[in-house]
Amino acid sequence: MQIYKVGGAVRDRLLGKPVTDIDWVVVGATAEEMLAKGFRPVGSDFPVFLHPKSGEEYALARTERKSGRGYGGFTFHASPEVTLEEDLIRRDLTINAMAEDEQGVLTDPYHGQQDLENRLLRHVSPAFAEDPLRVLRVARFAARYAGLGFRVAPDTLELMRQLSKSGELEALTPERSWKEISRALMEDHPQVFIQVLRDCGALKVLLPEVEALFGVPQPAAHHPEIDSGVHTLSVLEQAALHKQPLSVRWACLLHDLGKGLTPQSEWPQHIAHEHKGLKLIKQVNERFKAPRDCQELALLVGQYHTHGHRALELKPSTLAELLQSFDVYRRPQRFEEFIAACEMDARGRLGLEERAYPQADYLRGAATAARTVAVQPLLEQGFKGPELGEALKRERLKALKAYKEQYSQ
């Protein structure tokens, strides 16, 4: 029995990056031998075991063969005869197909170290094209390592194009797709993830609503970058630079989908794109079964982001409706995330990345002013039921009028 550290742990150590998760491969062992040593079995598809003390995952060396469509369409074979090289060749990228033994000796049969040095994301073998999930994974690695100068190797990008055309991407489950998309959006350069998907033709399969934004012009006065798709990538880039949470990044990706529906005769104007985009945002949310907080924020940002930009011009009554739409009295954090998404939208414009966004503090102040209206005095005045709700609305509106007057002075 020989035990090797494999995959990401080896790659990240060679890159000088912190190693968080460690995967181990066991060569020359049977499941019975693992159980005899106290390892606990997990996973039904192939033999994976948890170490009795560390809890880390140890997998028996295995081969795999394509047997159906999609990510799950594989049969696995694990036995003591499977070699380390056979186990490594089934992996996606050469930089993930290296192993280290317990003395730290590197096994690198597919030249992963060389590709690390050349900053290349290259497939290990032609079998890469059998697994559609790898399109998303490679795009995610491109987003993770873009800051180090990594790029997708041309021959790997070609295989990704073939996969995108094959119909295999449609076989991915919403859960698997969302797992990769959400992880990619949280990388340092999520815009690279979207760009790589576009380069290989996967974006028009997975997110045709985002693909449709490219080539659609916007008014140069507000959008010096002109192109709606380029703007979306820039907004995503700003969200990552400002360390925004996943819900904000998802909303940033989807906020302008309505612009893809504008008739060409109306370009570069996009009248009512906020409202038109809601059905598209809803369909993307449902396609990937995005978590509820991501779904809700994306819809609210899509509908109200221009309100955010025009915050200083809004009438107190419109401001009151906006706060009510966000349920700001019970869910203040969601409104804070809306403000963040609006600010990223304002900064995601060519040459305007550092521009001040006074709307953010103005909206926060408005929310505070409305929230400070106390219910108790109204109860003491005898208001109850629907009447209490109306009285509360009136008092909040008064508070917002006072806030706006004070701000204008």
Side-chain angles (χ1 to χ4, degrees):
M1 181 191 297
Q2 290 172 293
I3 296 173
Y4 297 90
K5 192 184 288 183
V6 293
V10 180
R11 175 198 70 225
D12 287 343
R13 184 189 69 73
L14 291 171
L15 279 173
K17 293 234 168 216
V19 173
T20 47
D21 296 324
I22 300 178
D23 291 320
W24 303 90
V25 159
V26 184
V27 177
T30 63
E32 291 72 26
E33 286 174 293
M34 298 295 284
L35 294 171
K37 289 181 179 292
F39 284 81
R40 288 174 291 130
V42 289
S44 54
D45 293 338
F46 42 80
V48 178
F49 301 85
L50 297 181
H51 191 280
K53 289 182 182 167
S54 72
E56 290 176 332
E57 286 192 358
Y58 286 67
L60 294 187
R62 63 186 187 269
T63 58
E64 62 186 36
R65 186 170 53 82
K66 183 77 169 167
S67 59
R69 266 168 67 85
Y71 164 76
F74 292 89
T75 51
F76 297 93
H77 169 67
S79 83
E81 285 74 45
V82 176
T83 65
L84 178 62
E85 287 75 15
E86 286 174 321
D87 182 271
L88 293 175
I89 201 170
R90 66 181 178 76
R91 295 169 188 267
D92 52 5
L93 296 170
T94 59
I95 64 168
N96 296 331
M98 297 180 282
E100 269 180 10
D101 66 15
E102 288 164 295
Q103 283 72 46
V105 176
L106 188 72
T107 300
D108 180 18
Y110 309 110
H111 313 297
Q113 198 168 9
Q114 187 181 325
D115 284 340
L116 275 184
E117 287 164 14
N118 293 332
R119 300 301 197 237
L120 274 183
L121 301 172
R122 187 191 299 282
H123 61 284
V124 178
S125 78
F128 174 94
E130 294 176 352
D131 185 354
L133 192 68
R134 288 177 169 177
V135 171
L136 288 163
R137 274 176 58 82
V138 173
R140 174 164 65 81
F141 280 117
R144 176 180 298 178
Y145 296 123
L148 296 176
F150 274 81
R151 60 192 174 85
V152 181
D155 48 346
T156 302
L157 197 63
E158 184 51 41
L159 283 182
M160 291 164 71
R161 283 196 191 100
Q162 289 173 26
L163 262 172
S164 300
K165 287 177 187 167
S166 70
E168 282 271 329
L169 288 174
E170 288 94 326
L172 290 174
T173 64
E175 293 79 9
R176 289 300 312 181
S177 296
W178 175 256
K179 188 176 179 183
E180 289 298 325
I181 290 168
S182 59
R183 288 177 73 184
L185 289 179
M186 292 309 293
E187 298 290 2
D188 287 343
H189 299 275
Q191 75 282 5
V192 173
F193 171 71
I194 300 298
Q195 186 60 59
V196 170
L197 291 184
R198 188 161 187 259
D199 291 344
C200 72
L203 192 64
K204 65 184 171 200
V205 179
L206 297 166
L207 281 162
E209 302 86 353
V210 176
E211 173 74 36
L213 296 174
F214 289 89
V216 174
Q218 305 161 104
H222 302 296
H223 287 276
E225 72 287 348
I226 309 289
D227 191 287
S228 298
V230 172
H231 167 62
T232 296
L233 296 185
S234 299
V235 176
L236 210 44
E237 182 178 10
Q238 289 297 316
L241 280 171
H242 290 84
K243 309 292 184 196
Q244 297 297 347
L246 176 62
S247 54
V248 172
R249 298 186 192 204
W250 182 241
C252 285
L253 177 63
L254 306 185
H255 79 286
D256 263 352
L257 292 188
K259 289 179 179 176
L261 296 175
T262 305
Q264 208 165 325
S265 58
E266 294 177 19
W267 288 354
Q269 302 300 325
H270 296 281
I271 296 156
H273 77 274
E274 307 89 348
H275 179 71
K276 289 176 188 171
L278 293 181
K279 64 179 181 184
L280 298 183
I281 294 171
K282 194 174 180 190
Q283 96 192 3
V284 174
N285 277 336
E286 288 171 358
R287 182 182 312 139
F288 297 110
K289 296 185 179 172
R292 190 174 165 184
D293 63 326
C294 290
Q295 293 203 27
E296 289 177 354
L297 188 69
L299 285 163
L300 286 164
V301 170
Q303 187 168 359
Y304 293 112
H305 62 276
T306 46
H307 274 50
H309 301 327
R310 293 176 45 246
L312 278 65
E313 306 154 32
L314 296 180
K315 294 185 294 187
S317 57
T318 309
L319 209 44
E321 286 167 15
L322 180 68
L323 296 174
Q324 191 63 45
S325 299
F326 279 84
D327 195 7
V328 77
Y329 309 104
R330 290 185 303 175
R331 299 181 63 181
Q333 184 55 34
R334 185 165 66 175
F335 192 60
E336 191 57 45
E337 290 181 357
F338 164 73
I339 293 170
C342 289
E343 185 167 355
M344 298 309 101
D345 181 23
R347 290 181 184 277
R349 302 169 195 229
L350 188 65
L352 303 176
E353 296 85 357
E354 303 297 325
R355 185 174 59 168
Y357 194 69
Q359 296 92 323
D361 284 338
Y362 181 78
L363 286 168
R364 287 188 191 103
T368 301
R371 227 185 272 118
T372 49
V373 173
V375 179
Q376 192 57 37
L378 298 173
L379 290 169
E380 287 167 6
Q381 289 172 49
F383 288 107
K384 54 187 176 182
E387 287 180 351
L388 176 63
E390 288 304 313
L392 197 53
K393 263 188 197 173
R394 284 195 300 273
E395 290 304 312
R396 284 170 176 164
L397 184 56
K398 249 190 250 179
L400 288 169
K401 281 178 181 169
Y403 171 73
K404 188 171 176 67
E405 280 169 25
Q406 188 184 359
Y407 192 89
S408 303
Q409 287 170 4

